[in-house]
DNA sequence: GCCACCGGTGGC
DNA sequence: GCCACCGGTGGC
């Protein structure tokens, strides 16, 4: 019944998930063979912000991350490898720091004490997998961007041919869309190379949508 | 005129 | 078949 999703005015844009359908599928059904602890997610809070009020930290996000940096991504959250609860990460920088070594150092609630002194696996999760938001599963172990550079993820609208785009903004404000462009930029601006910036510090891997039908299937002829 | 966004495709 | 890359363009 869900296979025939009609795009309905995708004009509404944004990346709000239609909700319902299957909220239970992700519970603990089984993140299955895949090691859930490796998965990191960014989500768009657009649809609901109830939980936001209950969390003191989310305030900082609201003014900081959401506003100024990326309208597409509302917040960053990581799943505890032990209890499987989702913990909000207070800053993008911290998120990127965790993501960079998520495989070698799986995230656990205890680590959230860096910004939430007494949190444990017994505390309720910061955010739940209800269908009210768009969840994007990020790729693990992506290098942190060089100092002064910013890596941005833009989630595309539902029904498109692609889920998201990644681009980097240089310290000078230049937006770069591919490794080819990065490489060219570095050649034209050797001072960054002198600072130690290398191509290996960049990745254009995009996250995957939790809902597979978010992206339009191939046209098929 | 610029740029954020989306679609198309060539190469793997 | 997937995805890295880039061209085109509509909205500001």
């Amino acid at each position: 019944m869900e296979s025939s999703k009609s795009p309905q005015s995708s004009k509404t844009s944004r990346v709000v998930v239609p909700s319902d359908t299957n909220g239970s599928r992700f519970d603990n059904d089984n993140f299955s063979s895949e090691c859930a602890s490796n998965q990191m997610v960014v989500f768009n809070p657009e649809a609901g912000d109830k939980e936001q009020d209950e969390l003191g930290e989310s305030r900082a996000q609201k003014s900081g991350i959401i506003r100024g940096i990326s309208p597409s991504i509302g917040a960053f959250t990581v799943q505890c490898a032990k209890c499987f609860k989702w913990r909000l990460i207070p800053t993008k920088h911290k998120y990127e720091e965790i993501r960079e070594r998520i495989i070698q150092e799986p995230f656990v609630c205890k680590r959230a004490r860096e910004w939430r002194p007494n949190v444990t696996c017994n505390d309720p999760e910061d955010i739940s997998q209800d269908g009210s938001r768009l969840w994007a599963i990020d790729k693990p172990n992506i290098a942190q961007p060089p100092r002064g550079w910013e890596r941005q993820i833009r989630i595309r609208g539902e029904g498109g041919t692609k889920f998201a785009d990644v681009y980097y903004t240089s310290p000078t404000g230049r937006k770069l869309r591919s490794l080819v462009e990065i490489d060219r930029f570095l050649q034209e601006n050797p001072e960054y190379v002198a600072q130690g910036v290398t191509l290996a510090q960049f990745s254009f891997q995009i996250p995957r949508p939790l809902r597979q039908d978010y992206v339009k299937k191939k046209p098929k002829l």
Side-chain angles (χ1 to χ4, degrees):
Chain A
M1 307 316 155
E2 53 182 353
S3 58
S4 63
K5 53 88 198 276
S6 59
Q8 302 192 28
S9 69
S10 55
K11 217 41 166 300
T12 24
S13 71
R14 276 327 121 120
V15 277
V16 181
V17 169
S19 74
D20 71 313
T21 329
N22 51 11
S24 58
R25 180 196 280 181
F26 308 107
D27 259 331
N28 27 357
D29 195 337
N30 57 351
F31 269 83
S32 74
S33 35
E34 296 276 330
C35 188
S37 61
N38 288 342
Q39 308 205 342
M40 307 190 62
V41 163
V42 290
F43 76 95
N44 182 321
E46 198 72 22
D49 39 41
K50 277 183 179 173
E51 289 128 62
Q52 303 263 327
D53 295 334
E54 302 169 8
L55 302 169
E57 282 82 359
S58 64
R59 229 150 230 216
Q61 295 183 342
K62 219 160 222 173
S63 52
I65 296 180
I66 299 179
R67 269 296 173 54
I69 302 177
S70 173
S72 234
I73 301 298
F76 303 95
T77 182
V78 182
Q79 192 174 40
C80 172
K82 291 182 178 173
C83 70
F84 303 105
K85 288 172 181 168
W86 292 100
R87 296 296 174 205
L88 287 172
I89 310 302
T91 67
K92 181 178 185 176
H93 181 263
K94 177 59 66 178
Y95 173 80
E96 290 178 331
E97 180 185 312
I98 293 170
R99 180 179 59 190
E100 184 173 43
R101 294 176 50 77
I102 187 71
I103 292 178
Q104 299 93 314
E105 297 177 31
F107 177 85
V108 290
C109 288
K110 194 174 178 181
R111 183 159 176 201
R113 289 178 189 172
E114 288 177 34
W115 58 88
R116 282 178 66 184
N118 301 314
V119 68
T120 73
C121 284
N122 293 324
D123 291 313
E125 62 183 356
D126 295 350
I127 185 170
S128 62
Q129 254 302 341
D130 52 25
S132 68
R133 302 172 183 77
L134 172 69
W135 287 69
I137 304 177
D138 220 346
K139 294 291 169 54
N141 281 43
I142 292 176
Q144 290 186 64
R147 172 173 288 274
W149 291 71
E150 188 184 4
R151 183 179 192 272
Q152 285 155 295
I153 298 172
R154 306 292 301 204
I155 305 298
R156 294 191 174 193
E158 187 172 10
T161 57
K162 193 180 171 190
F163 179 60
D165 295 289
V166 169
Y167 64 89
Y168 284 83
T169 303
S170 76
T172 56
R174 176 88 169 274
K175 286 183 169 54
L176 301 166
R177 304 186 296 166
S178 67
L179 285 175
V180 174
E181 290 185 3
I182 297 280
D183 192 30
R184 187 185 307 136
F185 181 87
L186 293 180
Q187 287 180 34
E188 293 171 352
N189 302 272
E191 62 267 31
Y192 295 108
V193 180
Q195 289 172 16
V197 177
T198 71
L199 273 188
Q201 292 173 295
F202 300 87
S203 167
F204 287 87
Q205 295 245 68
I206 64 174
R208 297 182 179 286
L210 202 52
R211 292 182 52 114
Q212 290 84 347
D213 63 353
Y214 184 83
V215 176
K216 183 174 61 181
K217 285 296 184 185
K218 49 147 179 241
K220 178 187 272 185
L221 302 178

